[in-house]
Amino acid sequence: MKANIKKNLLKIFAVVGVGAVLVSSLWAKTSKARSLAQIKKSGTIKIAVFSDKKPFGYVDENGEYQGYDVYFANRIAKDLGVKVKFVPVEAAARVEVLTTGKVDLVLANFTVTKERAEKVDFALPYMKVALGIVSPKKALITDPAQLNGKTLIVAKGTTAETYFSKNYPQIKLLKFDQYSEAYNALLDGRGDGLSTDNTEVLAWAIENPSFAVGAGADSIGSLDAIAPAVQKGNKELLDWLNSEIVKLGKENFFHADYEATLRSVYGKDSDADSLVVEGGNL
């Protein structure tokens, strides 16, 4: 008798526990975004950026956030009249941090895709990018087809993962949550190359001279837009961001951002126009 009661209680607790998880999950998925008034009243805007994707979003030796996206984020906060709270994010979690309301805005090299646009709202673009492959100079990759039957390192939740899964099924993908883990794997020889945005692999190769981005591996796939993202339906913040990007374009803000954060990386002869988008006009 006691055994049956105990068994029934365990079943009840199990059902209640599952229900609680489901309710919690539903709540997380529908956590409402903060309005502009709420952001201003709080005195802080929460912006998701990368902490390990130099030179776009990273933490320096002093523990400070730096990079092209961070420069933009600081200006957004300034023009809103608030402080910025940076929230580190992994590539695969960029949608989740918006849908759960953990951040107000994502500025983490977020490439606009049809699938992502079904889950978040993208503002006007501020960068343009394609994919690239960085590999050891002694076994330089100049064409993605060279990787058939070999291993390519990618970060989870990125356009590189999607592109190579769809177009090169014979390439083995070694996937990591963090970019730092992915680059360490390349340095350790666990893959024949690494793919992410061409802007980033070119910068990384400059800092790691035994690696290079081969001609033919420097602009793969389509030219895509990178844009800020807000929670789906947060029209108020989206409209403000679009107006801000148009306004900043009139002062050539993103070229100034390039000069402050990227020129030293890509070199004095690099072409800012190959990356920068002003006023949201691709």
Side-chain angles (χ1 to χ4, degrees):
M1 183 71 174
K2 287 183 179 180
N4 288 335
I5 292 173
K6 185 176 181 180
K7 187 180 293 184
N8 289 333
L9 284 172
L10 288 172
K11 288 180 180 179
I12 291 170
F13 289 143
V15 171
V16 170
V18 170
V21 169
L22 289 173
V23 170
S24 175
S25 177
L26 285 171
W27 174 255
K29 289 179 181 178
T30 58
S31 184
K32 191 175 180 181
R34 296 195 301 168
S35 66
L36 269 179
Q38 289 173 321
I39 292 170
K40 289 180 179 180
K41 185 177 180 181
S42 74
T44 302
I45 184 169
K46 295 178 286 186
I47 301 180
V49 294
F50 286 127
S51 62
D52 62 348
K53 193 175 184 181
K54 192 175 183 179
F56 297 97
Y58 65 99
V59 177
D60 67 15
E61 62 275 10
N62 298 314
E64 300 292 330
Y65 280 91
Q66 304 288 353
Y68 186 83
D69 289 341
V70 173
Y71 189 99
F72 181 25
N74 283 325
R75 178 60 183 267
I76 287 172
K78 178 183 177 182
D79 288 353
L80 272 175
V82 298
K83 294 180 180 180
V84 60
K85 178 182 179 182
F86 291 114
V87 178
V89 68
E90 294 173 358
R94 287 174 292 189
V95 170
E96 180 191 352
V97 293
L98 283 173
T99 57
T100 57
K102 291 178 181 177
V103 299
D104 303 300
L105 168 67
V106 169
L107 276 181
N109 262 210
F110 213 179
T111 304
V112 179
T113 68
K114 181 180 178 181
E115 294 75 19
R116 289 170 176 169
E118 293 173 354
K119 300 174 183 177
V120 302
D121 283 337
F122 285 103
L124 293 171
Y126 63 100
M127 282 177 60
K128 52 193 173 185
V129 70
L131 293 174
I133 299 172
V134 61
S135 55
K137 285 183 177 178
K138 62 183 180 181
L140 191 64
I141 301 299
T142 57
D143 187 311
Q146 291 174 250
L147 287 165
N148 285 336
K150 297 181 180 181
T151 299
L152 178 66
I153 300 165
V154 296
K156 295 177 183 177
T158 60
T159 49
E161 179 187 14
T162 302
Y163 177 82
F164 284 99
S165 295
K166 179 180 179 181
N167 295 288
Y168 292 91
Q170 295 180 348
I171 296 177
K172 303 171 187 175
L173 297 183
L174 179 59
K175 306 175 185 181
F176 293 92
D177 291 316
Q178 298 181 345
Y179 282 98
S180 55
E181 295 174 331
Y183 280 112
N184 284 336
L186 181 62
L187 289 168
D188 293 342
R190 284 177 275 164
D192 300 282
L194 180 150
S195 182
T196 185
D197 295 346
N198 58 356
T199 50
E200 191 202 341
V201 291
L202 287 164
W204 190 85
I206 291 171
E207 292 191 348
N208 295 270
S210 61
F211 293 82
V213 180
D218 56 354
S219 188
I220 299 166
S222 59
L223 185 67
D224 295 317
I226 287 180
V230 301
Q231 189 181 109
K232 196 75 176 173
N234 191 357
K235 188 174 183 299
E236 186 182 33
L237 182 56
L238 183 67
D239 288 347
W240 185 90
L241 276 170
N242 284 334
S243 296
E244 175 79 349
I245 290 168
V246 171
K247 182 189 78 172
L248 293 177
K250 293 176 182 178
E251 63 181 70
N252 262 9
F253 170 83
F254 292 103
H255 280 79
D257 189 349
Y258 186 97
E259 295 300 325
T261 63
L262 302 181
R263 175 66 68 190
S264 61
V265 176
Y266 292 120
K268 64 178 182 178
D269 297 324
S270 62
D271 180 16
D273 290 333
S274 66
L275 180 148
V276 170
V277 173
E278 294 285 7
N281 296 312
L282 277 174

